[in-house]
Amino acid sequence: MATPEVQALLSGSGNFDALIVQLQSADNDLRKGAEEIYEQLKDQADVCFQYLMQHLRASPSEESRQFCGILLRKVITKEGGIAYWAKCSPAVQALVKVQLLKGLIEEPSKIVVKRICDCVSELGAIEIDEPGWPELLPTLFQCVASANIGMQVSALSVFGDLAMYVGDSLKPQLPQLVQVLSHCLNHADSDIQLASLRAVASFIEALEEPSDRDKFSPMLPSMLAVLGSTLNSGDEASAQEVLSMLIQVAEAHPRFLRRQLNEIVTAMLSVARAGQLEANTRTLAAEFLVTLCEAREKAPGMMRKMPTFGQQLFETLMLFLLDIEAGDKFNYDYRVAKIGKPVDRSDWGMTPQTVNAYYNAQQNEIVFPAAILLPPFFDAKADDGINYGGIGAVIGERGYPAFEPQRGCAKVGGDGAPIVAVMAGQLSVLVDMCVTGLSDPHPKVRWAACQAIGQMCTDLGPDMQNSQHAKILPALMRQMDDFENPRVQAHASAAVVNFSESVDAELLPPYLDILITKLLLLLQHGKKVVQEGALTAMASVADNAQSLFAKYYDTVMPLLYAILTSASDKEHRMLRAKALECISLVGVAVGKERFREDARQMMLYLQQLQQTQLDADDPTIGYMLQAGARLCKCLGQEFIPYLDIVMPPLLKSAQLEPDIKVREADDEEDEDDLDEDVEVIPLGDKTLTIRTSALEEKATACNMLCCYAEELKEGFLPWMRTVADIMVPLLKFWFHEDVRRAAVQALPELLNCCVQGVAKGVAGVDAGIVAALLEFMWEPLMEALGKEPEPSVIASILDSIVEIVEMVDPQLLKQEWVKTAFERFAKVLVGAEERRQERQKRQAGEDFDEEELETLEEENEIEEELFDQVGTCVGCFLKKFGDAVLPYVEEIMALIAPLLAKGRGNEERRIAICVVDDLLEHSPAGRAKYLNQVLPILLECSSSEAVDLRQCAVYGLGILALKSPAQFKPAVPDALARVLAIVRHADARNDDNEMCHDNAVSTLGKLWEHHSELMDVGAVAAVWVAALPLLSDAIEAQAMHEMLARMLEASDPRVLGPNNAHLPHLAAAIVTVLGHGLVLVAGEVGGRLAVLLHRLQPSVPGEGSLVKGGLTPLRSRRSLRPPDLGTHTCAPRPQKERVENRVRQRPHTSTCADSHLTCTRQARASHASRQPHAHEAATRLNPPTHPHPRAPCHSSGSRPALHLRRCPEGVSAALARLTPLQRTNFDTYMAGKVPAAKSESS
C-alpha cells in the first residue's frame, strides 16, 4: 500500500523537486524517509521514469539534474536485480529515448551531459538489438560530425561505451566509423582526441575478427601522436589515461600493434626512461612493454623478433631501482649514458672495492669483485681447501640462482649443454666448496652454505645424494651443534629435509643413529625456529627410513608428544602443527603394530583440540586434517572408531563457503593493503577478491575425505551419504579446480564403499543403495563433463567414469545414461579438435618460432591425453556392453577415425588404434563389419618406426588372428612377416621396445597356433620359444606361459624342438617365470609349470636338482609322459576366450597439501598408462581387467628401465640369477604351493 506521499506524487500534487533535494540531504532521518518514498515510487515504473526524465531535462538546478541522471542510470540497469526498464510501457520507453538523445545535444552542463551519456550507454546496451533503438547510431554520427566540441566528445564517449555491444551491428558501417574516428584523432582539441582514442581502443578490443580490427591499424601513428601531445603539453593525467588504453589494446589483441611495433616500443621505452616524468606515467609505459612480453599465447614469438628488446627493457626496468638523489647524480648519469649503446660485457655491476658478489642472468656470469677475494673469503696464502670453502659458500649463496632450471638459464657454452648437466659433472668440486663453507668462522657463510647444499639436493638429487652423501650429511650434522647461531641450525635442518626427500632409502640407515640424536637435541634445547625445522627434518627422515625408524620410536615419540601438548599458546601454533605432522609421519613409518596405542592417545588429543575453537587462521587446522588421513592410512580398518573424531571438522572445512567480495574497480583500497592470501580478479568495472586460504583448506578437506573413503571402503559407509551430498554439488565449484578434482575422484570411492558393503554382506546395505547412489551422482558427473573448462579436471572425470563403469553391474547403467556419456565424450573430442586447429593457426603465424613450438607440443600432449582417456572410456563401455553400445561407438568413431590418417602424429594414430583394438576385441558385430577397413591400417602401423604405435597395431593383429581366423586368413603371410621382423630385430628386447616385443611374441603365438598351415611352423615355433619368457607385459606373459604349459603337457614336438633341443632354454625360462611368483602366470598355471619342470629335469643334460636340498618329483600331480618325438599330438586349445589382458592400475593422487602425504588412488588404467614391468605388477594378485596393453602416451624413452633379466641358457644359470625372494617364490612352487600374493618379483 503506497504511503500518502507516494500517492501525492502519483496524483501529480506532490513535489518531486523536494524529494530530490531530500534524497541528497545530509540529515540522515530526512534522507532515509525520502529513500523509502523513492523505493515505493520505483514500483510505479512509468511515473518514476517520467519524473526522472522531466527533471533531468528541465530542472533549473544543475545539481538536481546531475542527481536525476545518476538515479535514471540506476533504474535503467537491473537495480537490486529488478528490471524496472522492462516494466515501463512502450510509450514511456519511447519518451525516455527521445529525451535522452535531445539531452545529449542540448544539455549545456558538461557534468550533466556526462550523466546523460552514461544513461544513453546503459540503455543502448539493452536496446541495441530488437526492438532496438534505431535513432541511436544516426544521432551519434550526427553529433560526431557537428562543429560542437561538447557534442563530439559526448558522442565519442557513448561510442566507446557501446563498442562491445554494437561491434557486430556496426560492421556495415565500419568504413564510415573508421573515417570519423580517424578524423577525430587528428582534431586540434585534446578532449576530442582523448574521447576518440578511448572509442578506438574499445572497438579494437571488442571486434572479434582480425580483418575488422585491422581497419583501425592505420590509426596507430595518430594514437601515438595523442600520447606525445599530452606529454608535450604537460598533461600527464591525460597521458596516463592514453597509456592505460594502449595497455588495454596490448592485453586484448597484441598482434594489432605489430605493424607499428618498432615505433610503439621505441616510444614506450623513451617514456619509461624519461626521469622528468611522473612515476605513474613511466610505470604505465613499462607496464605496456611488460604486457607485450606476457602476450605469449596471443602473439607467440612477436617480441622475440626484436633481438635487442630484452636488453633494452631490462636496462629500463633497472632504472626504476635507482634512487636518484643529488649524491647519486654521477651514478645515474653513468647508467643513463649506457642506454642505447652496445652491451659492454667487461663492465661490472659493482665496484672492485665492494665486498659482495652477484649473478648476472643476462650475460650468464657470476662476478666476484676484488674486495671479496680477500680473507676470510679468499687468501692466496691459504690452503686450497679453505679457499674453495670460503669463496664456495659465496658462490652457493649468490651464484646458485644461475643453476636453477626454473630460472630459465637453461644453456651455457657453444654446445648448448644444460647448466644443471654441467653442474652434475662437477658435483664433487661443488660439494667440497660448500662443505668447506660450513667450516667458515662467520655464521652467515655457514648458513648460506647450508642453503646452497639444500637447494642442490633438490635440483641435482638423487645423484648428488648418492655420490656425495658421505661428505654432505656429516657436515650438516656438525652444524646442528652450533647453539650460538640458531639460524645455522635451522638451515642445516632444512638442508637435511632437502637431502632426505630424494635420497635412496638404503643410503640413509648408516647415519640414522647420529642424525636422530642431533635432531632430538635440537628439539630439546633449540629455539622455536630451530625446533620447527628439526620437526620437519625428523618427519622427512622417518618418511624415508620407514620401518627402520622403529629403533628410535620409544625415544622420539614421547618427546614429540610433549612438544605437541605444551605448544598451546598463539606464538607456538606452527610448532604444534609441525609436531602433529611429525607424529603422524613417524606413525606411518613404524606401522600400526607399534603406533596403535600412541595413535589412540593422539586421537584423544585431536578431539580435545577441536573443542578449543581454533582461530580461522591457525595452521594447526590444515595439519590436523592431514594427520588424520595419515593415521587412517597407517591403521587401516582399525581407524574406523576414530571417524567420529575426525569427520566433524573435516566436513566443516569441506563445506566452507568461498570468502568473496565484489567492489568497484576504482575503489581506493590499495591491493597492497590486502592480506597475502587474498587474490584480486578484475571483472570489467568491478573487482573480485577471493580469500585463497579458505579455498585451500576446502580442497585439502575434500582430498582427505576421498582418502578416507578409499582406505576404509565399507567401513566408511556410515558417512558415505553425507559426503556424497557434499561432493556432488562441488562438481560445479568454479572457484577452485582442486576442489572439483577432489569431488570427481571421491565419487567412485564412495560408490565402491557401497559395492564392497554389498559384497561383504554389511547389514542394511544392498544393491538398491548402490543403484540409488549411482543415480544421484551420474547425471551431475555427466553435466560436469560437459561444462568443465580445465583439461586436467576433465581427465579426472573420465577416469572416474571408467572406474564407475567397471565397478557396477551393467544393469544399473541405464541406456539413456550410456547415451549421454557418449554425447559428452563427443563434446570433449570436438573441443580438443577445435583447440588443435587453433594451435595449427598459431603455428602458421609469422611470429611462430622454436620456443613457441615447445609450448605447442606441451599443449598437444594435454589434448592427446584427453583423446586417450576418451578412448579408454569407449573401451570400458565396449567391454561392459559389447555390441549393445556399437551404435554409440560408431557415432564417436567419426571423430576418432581422422586420427588414423597417415598425416596425423604417431601418438594420435596410436590412440585411435587402441580404440579400434577395443572394438575388434569386444564387439563381434563391429569386428565383422570393420575388419576389412582397419586391417590394412593395422598392417601398415605394425611396421611403424614409432614403437608405441607398432605395439598397439601388432596387438590388434593378434586379436584378429584369434577371434576372426577365417576373415583374417588372407592377411596371415603379411602379418607373419611383420611380426617376425619385430621379434627378430636386434633391439627388440631393449628397454624401449620390450613391451612391443612381448605383444609381438603373443601375436606370433596366436598366428602359429591358429594358422599353422600357412607357415613353416617349426621355424616359427623356434622363434617363439627363443623369445620366452616374456617379462615386460605381464598380461601377454600370462597368456603365452599358459600356452607353453598346454603345449608341453601335450608333448608338442614343435615346442620341444628337434631332439628336444629347446628343453634347456624352456626349463630355464620356467625357472625365471616361477621366480616371479604370481606376476607372469595366472591361476594354476604356475603349479602346472612346476610339475612340468619336475618331469623335464631328467631330460635336461648336465643339470642337477632344481630345488634346495633336492626334491623327489611330486606324486600328487598328474603324471606327464616323457617328451614324445613321434607324431604330433598337440591337444587343441580349449574353446574359451583368451586370458583377458590386464594392465597396471595407474595411480591418481589426491594430494593432501604437503609433500609427505599423498593418498594414492588406484584408478583404472587409461590408454596413457604404460604396461607394468613384471616386478611392478608383483604387488597385485588381481589387477583390473583391461581390453589390451596400452602403450605409454609419452615417448617410450620416458619409460623406466627394466630391472629384470631374461633367462640365461640353462637351469643352473637361471637359478643363480634369482634374487633371494625370487628363489623363495620358485621353491614354493616346486613344493606344490602357491607364493604369497604380495611377494615381489625382484
Side-chain angles (χ1 to χ4, degrees):
M1 187 71 178
T3 62
E5 293 84 355
V6 174
Q7 291 288 355
L9 288 170
L10 295 176
S11 65
S13 60
N15 190 338
F16 190 74
D17 276 333
L19 180 64
I20 294 298
V21 172
Q22 292 170 11
L23 286 171
Q24 302 174 76
S25 173
D27 187 321
N28 290 335
D29 293 335
L30 185 61
R31 188 179 63 256
K32 184 177 180 180
E35 289 172 351
E36 292 175 355
I37 296 171
Y38 179 68
E39 286 298 317
Q40 294 184 53
L41 181 63
K42 287 194 297 185
D43 292 332
Q44 307 296 324
D46 277 358
V47 176
C48 182
F49 272 91
Q50 289 181 75
Y51 275 135
L52 289 173
M53 197 70 248
Q54 176 185 345
H55 284 73
L56 173 61
R57 295 286 290 115
S59 174
S61 168
E62 180 182 18
E63 184 178 1
S64 292
R65 296 202 308 278
Q66 178 190 356
F67 189 65
C68 284
I70 294 172
L71 295 178
L72 181 61
R73 181 188 181 187
K74 288 185 176 181
V75 292
I76 288 174
T77 59
K78 287 186 177 181
E79 186 178 12
I82 302 174
Y84 293 108
W85 174 253
K87 294 183 176 182
C88 286
S89 65
V92 172
Q93 289 184 348
L95 172 67
V96 172
K97 292 176 184 177
V98 170
Q99 290 300 320
L100 282 175
L101 294 181
K102 284 186 176 181
L104 197 65
I105 297 172
E106 299 171 358
E107 174 60 48
S109 169
K110 281 188 176 182
I111 192 168
V112 176
V113 82
K114 177 65 173 69
R115 301 306 176 197
I116 293 176
C117 288
D118 292 340
C119 294
V120 171
S121 299
E122 291 289 348
L123 189 54
I126 298 172
E127 292 289 316
I128 198 67
D129 296 321
E130 296 296 336
W133 192 356
E135 303 85 5
L136 176 59
L137 294 180
T139 302
L140 293 178
F141 277 114
Q142 176 188 343
C143 291
V144 171
S146 74
N148 187 304
I149 291 177
M151 288 172 57
Q152 292 185 58
V153 171
S154 298
L156 290 168
S157 175
V158 175
F159 266 130
D161 292 337
L162 291 180
M164 70 177 64
Y165 304 105
V166 304
D168 291 336
S169 304
L170 276 177
K171 279 189 178 182
Q173 304 176 60
L174 271 183
Q176 179 186 359
L177 181 65
V178 168
Q179 182 180 0
V180 168
L181 293 177
S182 179
H183 174 75
C184 292
L185 272 176
N186 294 285
H187 199 281
D189 186 85
S190 61
D191 289 340
I192 293 179
Q193 290 177 1
L194 288 172
S196 178
L197 181 54
R198 190 181 304 110
V200 169
S202 298
F203 275 104
I204 293 170
E205 182 179 13
L207 291 169
E208 295 183 359
E209 293 297 327
S211 59
D212 292 332
R213 293 194 297 269
D214 287 344
K215 292 182 173 65
F216 291 82
S217 60
M219 299 185 194
L220 278 171
S222 299
M223 295 167 73
L224 285 178
V226 174
L227 175 61
S229 65
T230 56
L231 291 172
N232 291 333
S233 65
D235 186 3
E236 290 201 47
S238 296
Q240 291 168 19
E241 186 179 356
V242 173
L243 288 167
S244 297
M245 288 184 280
L246 292 174
I247 291 171
Q248 173 185 325
V249 172
E251 288 178 339
H253 302 293
R255 285 177 178 271
F256 174 80
L257 304 170
R258 183 189 296 119
R259 293 185 183 179
Q260 301 288 329
L261 189 61
N262 286 328
E263 292 81 355
I264 294 173
V265 168
T266 300
M268 293 299 176
L269 286 170
S270 299
V271 174
R273 293 169 174 174
Q276 72 276 18
L277 297 178
E278 294 179 8
N280 286 345
T281 304
R282 297 174 58 216
T283 301
L284 286 170
E287 183 180 345
F288 174 88
L289 296 170
V290 172
T291 299
L292 289 180
C293 294
E294 294 174 341
R296 179 171 180 172
E297 182 176 345
K298 295 180 178 179
M302 185 175 75
M303 300 311 295
R304 290 194 292 273
K305 300 291 185 182
M306 305 180 67
T308 63
F309 172 71
Q311 182 70 23
Q312 290 176 317
L313 178 59
F314 175 78
E315 292 175 351
T316 301
L317 296 176
M318 292 305 295
L319 291 176
F320 284 85
L321 301 179
L322 296 176
D323 182 16
I324 304 170
E325 297 178 355
D328 294 326
K329 188 174 187 308
F330 171 82
N331 187 44
Y332 172 73
D333 291 341
Y334 172 74
R335 293 184 179 276
V336 169
K338 293 166 52 177
I339 296 175
K341 296 180 180 179
V343 177
D344 183 359
R345 296 188 177 275
S346 65
D347 189 26
W348 283 7
M350 292 179 177
T351 61
Q353 61 268 30
T354 301
V355 182
N356 208 333
Y358 68 90
Y359 167 63
N360 180 357
Q362 295 294 316
Q363 296 182 204
N364 194 30
E365 65 180 4
I366 302 174
V367 176
F368 300 94
I372 203 169
L373 297 177
L374 296 172
F377 300 105
F378 187 87
D379 187 348
K381 299 178 181 179
D383 181 81
D384 285 347
I386 295 176
N387 283 331
Y388 283 138
I391 199 65
V394 179
I395 294 173
E397 180 189 7
R398 298 296 188 188
Y400 194 75
F403 306 125
E404 293 186 82
Q406 63 269 33
R407 295 294 178 95
C409 186
K411 296 185 177 180
V412 62
D415 58 355
I419 286 182
V420 171
V422 174
M423 289 191 68
Q426 302 293 325
L427 280 178
S428 181
V429 174
L430 290 168
V431 170
D432 287 343
M433 289 181 178
C434 293
V435 168
T436 306
L438 293 174
S439 301
D440 192 272
H442 200 295
K444 286 187 177 182
V445 177
R446 295 200 300 277
W447 68 251
C450 290
Q451 189 176 28
I453 289 175
Q455 188 64 57
M456 286 193 292
C457 285
T458 297
D459 290 341
L460 302 176
D463 293 342
M464 178 167 158
Q465 289 92 316
N466 292 345
S467 63
Q468 305 296 318
H469 58 88
K471 300 176 184 177
I472 295 173
L473 267 183
L476 290 176
M477 288 189 289
R478 286 193 294 271
Q479 303 310 305
M480 295 180 180
D481 299 331
D482 189 1
F483 282 91
E484 293 183 0
N485 295 284
R487 190 173 185 182
V488 174
Q489 292 177 310
H491 278 276
S493 298
V496 168
V497 173
N498 298 124
F499 180 93
S500 60
E501 281 181 340
S502 58
V503 68
D504 290 344
E506 64 269 17
L507 294 180
L508 201 56
Y511 304 98
L512 285 177
D513 286 351
I514 298 176
L515 180 56
I516 299 300
T517 301
K518 300 277 188 181
L519 292 173
L520 286 171
L521 287 173
L522 295 183
L523 292 175
Q524 291 172 309
H525 306 293
K527 302 288 186 180
K528 179 170 70 73
V529 65
V530 176
Q531 289 179 309
E532 291 174 1
L535 285 169
T536 302
M538 185 78 78
S540 184
V541 169
D543 191 44
N544 183 285
Q546 290 298 300
S547 59
L548 295 178
F549 200 84
K551 174 182 178 181
Y552 314 100
Y553 182 81
D554 291 336
T555 303
V556 171
M557 187 55 70
L559 178 58
L560 296 180
Y561 193 76
I563 294 173
L564 176 68
T565 53
S566 62
S568 56
D569 59 339
K570 190 169 184 176
E571 182 183 353
H572 291 84
R573 294 187 307 181
M574 181 55 74
L575 184 65
R576 177 175 62 189
K578 293 283 187 179
L580 195 59
E581 174 188 57
C582 188
I583 290 174
S584 61
L585 279 167
V586 167
V588 171
V590 301
K592 66 180 178 181
E593 297 301 327
R594 194 69 179 273
F595 186 51
R596 184 179 286 112
E597 287 304 313
D598 288 313
R600 185 183 65 81
Q601 185 179 11
M602 185 174 174
M603 293 309 303
L604 292 176
Y605 172 78
L606 291 179
Q607 187 177 29
Q608 297 170 1
L609 193 62
Q610 292 169 18
Q611 297 171 354
T612 61
Q613 298 298 318
L614 299 173
D615 295 337
D617 61 344
D618 193 330
T620 308
I621 297 174
Y623 282 83
M624 187 165 57
L625 299 180
Q626 299 161 23
R630 291 195 195 98
L631 292 175
C632 176
K633 202 75 176 174
C634 174
L635 299 179
Q637 295 293 311
E638 294 181 20
F639 187 80
I640 293 174
Y642 302 124
L643 282 176
D644 289 337
I645 297 176
V646 300
M647 287 300 290
L650 202 56
L651 295 174
K652 180 180 178 181
S653 295
Q655 297 177 85
L656 285 173
E657 293 295 331
D659 185 357
I660 299 173
K661 295 179 181 178
V662 180
R663 57 190 178 90
E664 297 294 331
D666 55 359
D667 194 321
E668 294 183 357
E669 183 179 1
D670 193 335
E671 291 184 13
D672 294 337
D673 297 333
L674 298 173
D675 294 340
E676 290 183 0
D677 67 338
V678 172
E679 183 177 354
V680 180
I681 303 173
L683 295 173
D685 60 349
K686 306 289 184 182
T687 298
L688 195 70
T689 60
I690 303 177
R691 190 168 296 278
T692 57
S693 58
L695 297 180
E696 290 163 2
E697 180 182 340
K698 185 181 185 78
T700 298
C702 291
N703 277 312
M704 297 304 98
L705 290 171
C706 182
C707 292
Y708 284 133
E710 178 197 7
E711 184 66 33
L712 300 178
K713 296 180 175 58
E714 70 277 3
F716 196 69
L717 275 171
W719 300 92
M720 178 272 299
R721 187 67 203 199
T722 301
V723 175
D725 289 339
I726 294 173
M727 292 298 185
V728 169
L730 292 180
L731 295 173
K732 298 187 289 187
F733 190 80
W734 307 118
F735 298 103
H736 204 289
E737 66 179 79
D738 287 343
V739 172
R740 300 198 303 279
R741 185 180 295 106
V744 165
Q745 294 175 344
L747 297 188
E749 302 299 348
L750 295 171
L751 190 63
N752 190 43
C753 294
C754 297
V755 171
Q756 293 296 322
V758 173
K760 297 181 180 179
V762 176
V765 182
D766 55 24
I769 293 180
V770 177
L773 181 59
L774 180 60
E775 185 155 9
F776 178 63
M777 66 175 59
W778 186 265
E779 290 187 3
L781 191 62
M782 291 299 105
E783 182 182 358
L785 181 57
K787 295 181 178 179
E788 176 58 50
E790 289 295 329
S792 62
V793 182
I794 293 175
S796 295
I797 295 174
L798 294 171
D799 286 338
S800 291
I801 290 172
V802 171
E803 289 188 73
I804 290 171
V805 172
E806 290 185 340
M807 186 189 308
V808 302
D809 191 297
Q811 296 178 351
L812 295 180
L813 293 168
K814 300 177 183 179
Q815 183 176 354
E816 59 267 28
W817 292 0
V818 177
K819 180 181 179 182
T820 300
F822 275 85
E823 289 172 351
R824 295 294 184 268
F825 299 158
K827 185 174 181 179
V828 172
L829 294 180
V830 169
E833 178 62 19
E834 289 174 350
R835 291 189 291 271
R836 186 187 75 88
Q837 293 177 1
E838 182 61 32
R839 290 194 296 275
Q840 284 183 327
K841 292 181 182 178
R842 285 165 48 194
Q843 191 167 0
E846 59 184 283
D847 295 323
F848 194 82
D849 57 14
E850 290 186 6
E851 185 174 339
E852 188 61 24
L853 179 61
E854 294 178 5
T855 302
L856 206 66
E857 289 173 346
E858 293 173 2
E859 295 174 8
N860 283 336
E861 286 186 4
I862 295 173
E863 298 296 355
E864 288 167 353
E865 175 77 4
L866 288 181
F867 271 104
D868 210 358
Q869 288 169 306
V870 169
T872 301
C873 289
V874 172
C876 177
F877 276 99
L878 276 167
K879 184 176 180 182
K880 201 79 170 183
F881 295 98
D883 287 341
V885 295
L886 182 58
Y888 304 132
V889 174
E890 288 178 323
E891 290 179 5
I892 209 167
M893 281 303 295
L895 299 171
I896 295 177
L899 302 183
L900 292 169
K902 290 185 178 181
R904 302 300 285 260
N906 290 327
E907 179 61 15
E908 291 178 319
R909 301 188 78 195
R910 180 198 67 79
I911 293 167
I913 286 181
C914 284
V915 178
V916 169
D917 288 349
D918 284 327
L919 178 67
L920 298 176
E921 186 165 14
H922 300 296
S923 173
R927 183 168 60 249
K929 186 175 181 179
Y930 295 106
L931 184 148
N932 292 332
Q933 295 181 37
V934 301
L935 181 54
I937 299 174
L938 294 177
L939 289 170
E940 178 251 319
C941 291
S942 65
S943 298
S944 170
E945 292 295 322
V947 62
D948 301 337
L949 178 59
R950 192 167 66 242
Q951 173 190 338
C952 292
V954 77
Y955 177 84
L957 294 176
I959 294 172
L960 296 178
L962 174 67
K963 299 205 169 192
S964 296
Q967 282 182 276
F968 185 65
K969 187 173 182 179
V972 167
D974 190 3
L976 180 63
R978 294 172 187 269
V979 172
L980 286 172
I982 295 174
V983 178
R984 288 170 167 167
H985 195 280
D987 295 327
R989 293 173 177 172
N990 68 19
D991 291 354
D992 292 339
N993 296 322
E994 185 83 3
M995 288 287 295
C996 181
H997 168 269
D998 285 6
N999 279 263
V1001 172
S1002 180
T1003 297
L1004 186 64
K1006 298 181 183 73
L1007 285 170
W1008 77 269
E1009 184 176 18
H1010 296 281
H1011 301 278
S1012 58
E1013 73 280 5
L1014 300 176
M1015 62 189 73
D1016 181 351
V1017 71
V1020 172
V1023 174
W1024 183 79
V1025 168
L1028 298 178
L1030 304 187
L1031 299 174
S1032 181
D1033 188 327
I1035 307 311
E1036 297 305 331
Q1038 291 175 6
M1040 289 301 99
H1041 297 154
E1042 189 276 336
M1043 178 178 170
L1044 173 64
R1046 280 191 291 106
M1047 292 190 165
L1048 286 176
E1049 288 166 349
S1051 297
D1052 192 323
R1054 298 172 298 180
V1055 174
L1056 296 171
N1059 299 318
N1060 293 348
H1062 297 163
L1063 279 184
H1065 176 81
L1066 288 172
I1070 293 173
V1071 170
T1072 302
V1073 169
L1074 297 181
H1076 288 86
L1078 295 168
V1079 177
L1080 303 179
V1081 289
E1084 62 176 12
V1085 176
R1088 290 163 59 191
L1089 288 174
V1091 172
L1092 287 166
L1093 194 56
H1094 275 292
R1095 305 299 298 166
L1096 290 175
Q1097 181 182 0
S1099 302
V1100 180
E1103 298 291 354
S1105 174
L1106 294 177
V1107 291
K1108 294 178 181 178
L1111 182 67
T1112 303
L1114 295 178
R1115 301 298 180 186
S1116 59
R1117 300 285 185 178
R1118 59 189 178 89
S1119 62
L1120 177 70
R1121 67 179 186 275
D1124 182 2
L1125 303 182
T1127 306
H1128 168 53
T1129 57
C1130 178
R1133 178 170 179 156
Q1135 296 299 311
K1136 63 179 182 179
E1137 292 292 319
R1138 66 183 291 280
V1139 177
E1140 286 287 352
N1141 271 313
R1142 301 164 189 262
V1143 293
R1144 180 185 179 212
Q1145 296 170 322
R1146 182 175 61 170
H1148 290 262
T1149 57
S1150 300
T1151 305
C1152 302
D1154 72 286
S1155 60
H1156 300 296
L1157 176 61
T1158 301
C1159 295
T1160 301
R1161 173 171 174 249
Q1162 298 294 350
R1164 302 304 186 188
S1166 77
H1167 297 236
S1169 320
R1170 64 174 177 84
Q1171 186 74 6
H1173 299 268
H1175 73 281
E1176 294 175 317
T1179 58
R1180 284 172 288 279
L1181 175 60
N1182 293 309
T1185 59
H1186 199 282
H1188 59 272
R1190 301 297 188 183
C1193 114
H1194 303 295
S1195 67
S1196 56
S1198 66
R1199 186 163 59 88
L1202 290 172
H1203 299 293
L1204 303 178
R1205 296 181 181 271
R1206 193 161 293 279
C1207 66
E1209 195 71 22
V1211 173
S1212 299
L1215 286 170
R1217 293 292 185 97
L1218 297 181
T1219 67
L1221 188 53
Q1222 289 173 345
R1223 183 60 195 247
T1224 299
N1225 290 336
F1226 173 81
D1227 290 339
T1228 302
Y1229 269 127
M1230 298 304 290
K1233 300 177 182 179
V1234 179
K1238 294 185 178 181
S1239 65
E1240 296 186 12
S1241 60
S1242 61

